[in-house]
Amino acid sequence: MSITAATTASIATAAPLPAAAHTTRTARIDRITGETKIAVDLALPLTGPFPAAAHTISVNTGIGFFDHMLHALAKHSGFSLRLTCDGDLHVDDRHSVEDCGLALGSAFKQALGAPRGIRRYGHAYAPLDEALARAVVDISGRPHCDFTGEFKRDQIGALSTEMIPHFFESFASTAGITLHVDVLKGNNDHHKAEAAFKALAVALREAIAPYGSADVVPSTKGVL
């Protein structure tokens, strides 16, 4: 993946999203390059789902189908998300999709903080009519992504289908997670893509769920 030498990225904890009556972890990412300008506010629910009024989702990347996928990711993971991207869409969608993945992964890692008291592992199957996808997550600190799946169309709306696996790769690289996403079957490319994003959402929700003592790192090494 390419990032221009002019890239600057700032990461800071913040709480711009509505407060909930339970534990949350938040992050603010501003990622500015010669190709994109991205702002991400992310809040992770760590002791149960957000109350309806506090679960806020707003996404605007300039790529309608990609917005739909990110909204589904936030909805089914239980994350509150505000994400805007002003990218060089006059070129194509690569820089915007890639950099959104990098920024969102950075926000996830920052918001989660030290991976203590969580399940660490998560997996999920998500169907959408005839399509079925599986995602498996390990909050491992070792970035890796493996995607299997095929699309018939070059684009779904304004999103290039080749950028769907690349988004997952970009997200995993900065989130510091091991991620496997498999589109197991399906005929409709919209359904296959959406099932993949929803499977990831549910797997992430499971992986960050509380488990055991709050100060225990879920690793025999004692560190992740």
Side-chain angles (χ1 to χ4, degrees), residues 15-22 24 26 43 50-57 80-82:
L17 293 165
H22 57 17
T24 61
T26 62
F50 285 110
H55 191 191
T56 302
I57 305 172
S80 277
L81 172 67
R82 282 207 296 255

Side-chain angles (χ1 to χ4, degrees), residues 34-110:
E35 299 159 343
T36 60
K37 182 178 181 180
I38 298 170
V40 179
D41 291 300
L42 181 68
L44 309 181
L46 297 182
T47 57
F50 285 110
H55 191 191
T56 302
I57 305 172
S58 175
V59 179
N60 184 2
T61 67
I63 308 167
F65 185 73
F66 187 43
D67 291 354
H68 179 42
M69 294 299 97
L70 294 179
H71 192 281
L73 178 62
K75 176 68 174 180
H76 295 284
S77 63
F79 300 170
S80 277
L81 172 67
R82 282 207 296 255
L83 185 152
T84 60
C85 175
D86 181 11
D88 56 355
L89 295 178
H90 62 284
V91 177
D92 65 10
D93 59 340
R94 177 184 174 86
H95 299 143
S96 291
V97 176
E98 176 181 86
D99 287 4
C100 283
L102 295 171
L104 185 58
S106 294
F108 176 83
K109 184 175 183 179
Q110 178 74 13

Side-chain angles (χ1 to χ4, degrees), residues 118-133:
I118 61 170
R119 290 187 178 276
R120 174 179 168 177
Y121 299 101
H123 72 280
Y125 289 84
L128 181 54
D129 295 347
E130 88 298 343
L132 179 66

Side-chain angles (χ1 to χ4, degrees), residues 198-221:
K198 287 179 175 178
L200 172 59
V202 179
L204 288 171
R205 187 178 72 199
E206 180 179 340
I208 68 168
Y211 182 77
S213 175
D215 61 351
V216 172
V217 175
S219 170
T220 56
K221 298 189 297 291

